[in-house]
Amino acid sequence: ANLVMVGEGLTDSELDAFYNEVVAAFTEAAARISIGYGLDEAVQMGPLRDPGKKQRVVSYIEKGLAEGATLRLDGRQFELIGDYPRDALLGPTVFENVTNDMTIAQEEIFGPVVVVIRFSDDRELIKMANSTIYGLAAGIWTTNVKRAINLAKAIKAGNIWVNTYNMIPNQAPFGGFKQSGVGREMSRHVMDLYTEVKNVMVYLGKGGVRWF
């Protein structure tokens, strides 16, 4: 997931302060997420699918560090609720000082990893959001509804959430653009996903079809 933010009409120093305030609050909230056995009621985030999946996500964390990003919160080190095996457990991870060409910004990690990227205006934001081969979902957080609608139109993703995230009502289609989420699930569009269309043409005229 990407956390992308901007402060309009602010000086550079005010923008830096705004950035630091938001990222600090975001990181603190992520650090409070309880990690452990998925069926424990006190746990908010359970393990990944298996140790192999965890190692795949850890490899992305290592790539991020190798390419110059900074770990604001390291999910490889977390306080465990209860006495459970750590083989497939990974805590929330927050990267900053990320550029859009880095691996962690371009590939789908499918793990609890957030990268924070700064941008100067909406045009730059749209360019960054669309400069990837994937396009499953995007989240926009703003009090400017007109701006949100314009961004939603421009961002090439199958699901756009404004001031919320990952809400998928049954009556709404779910799927992605480009190399994400082929087809559509949910709503009436799911009928197309499970339908194979066959075209049968029968000529009932006389004398045959003289197409040549």
Side-chain angles (χ1 to χ4, degrees), residues 2-212:
N2 294 336
L3 173 64
V4 197
M5 46 182 287
V6 67
E8 292 184 304
L10 300 179
T11 64
D12 289 343
S13 60
E14 289 173 332
L15 183 57
D16 287 340
F18 174 73
Y19 168 87
N20 290 329
E21 179 183 352
V22 171
V23 175
F26 182 88
T27 303
E28 290 170 7
R32 290 195 299 268
I33 296 174
S34 57
I35 313 299
Y37 181 53
L39 296 182
D40 189 328
E41 293 184 358
V43 167
Q44 295 173 304
M45 192 172 79
L48 294 170
R49 184 185 63 199
D50 53 50
K53 175 65 173 177
K54 173 185 174 179
Q55 186 52 47
R56 179 182 182 275
V57 179
V58 169
S59 71
Y60 275 106
I61 297 175
E62 294 169 348
K63 287 178 184 177
L65 291 170
E67 293 177 8
T70 303
L71 268 178
R72 184 81 177 233
L73 179 64
D74 190 347
R76 298 170 298 179
Q77 303 171 355
F78 60 89
E79 293 185 6
L80 181 63
I81 290 185
D83 186 19
Y84 304 114
R86 292 175 175 262
D87 293 353
L89 289 171
L90 188 67
T93 298
V94 179
F95 272 109
E96 60 178 341
N97 297 324
V98 178
T99 58
N100 201 51
D101 59 343
M102 291 182 180
T103 302
I104 55 175
Q106 285 295 314
E107 297 187 11
E108 294 180 319
I109 300 175
F110 287 118
V113 179
V114 168
V115 302
V116 182
I117 305 176
R118 297 177 68 165
F119 64 94
S120 58
D121 54 36
D122 288 359
R123 181 176 298 180
E124 184 184 8
L125 166 61
I126 293 166
K127 182 178 179 180
M128 288 194 297
N130 290 338
S131 63
T132 171
I133 61 175
Y134 303 108
L136 183 59
I140 301 168
W141 297 84
T142 179
T143 57
N144 188 328
V145 177
K146 181 178 180 181
R147 185 182 182 196
I149 296 302
N150 289 336
L151 286 171
K153 289 179 179 178
I155 293 174
K156 298 176 182 177
N159 308 273
I160 308 288
W161 291 291
V162 178
N163 295 337
T164 185
Y165 202 79
N166 205 31
M167 295 185 67
I168 309 173
N170 291 331
Q171 66 272 23
F174 177 83
F177 288 0
K178 297 182 279 189
Q179 294 188 32
S180 291
V182 176
R184 290 294 179 270
E185 302 175 39
M186 317 294 281
S187 76
R188 65 177 180 82
H189 297 278
V190 76
M191 300 302 293
D192 293 332
L193 183 64
Y194 289 98
T195 299
E196 288 188 319
V197 179
K198 178 181 291 187
N199 180 21
V200 178
M201 299 185 66
V202 180
Y203 178 71
L204 300 177
K206 298 180 179 180
V209 179
R210 301 176 184 268
W211 58 267
F212 51 84

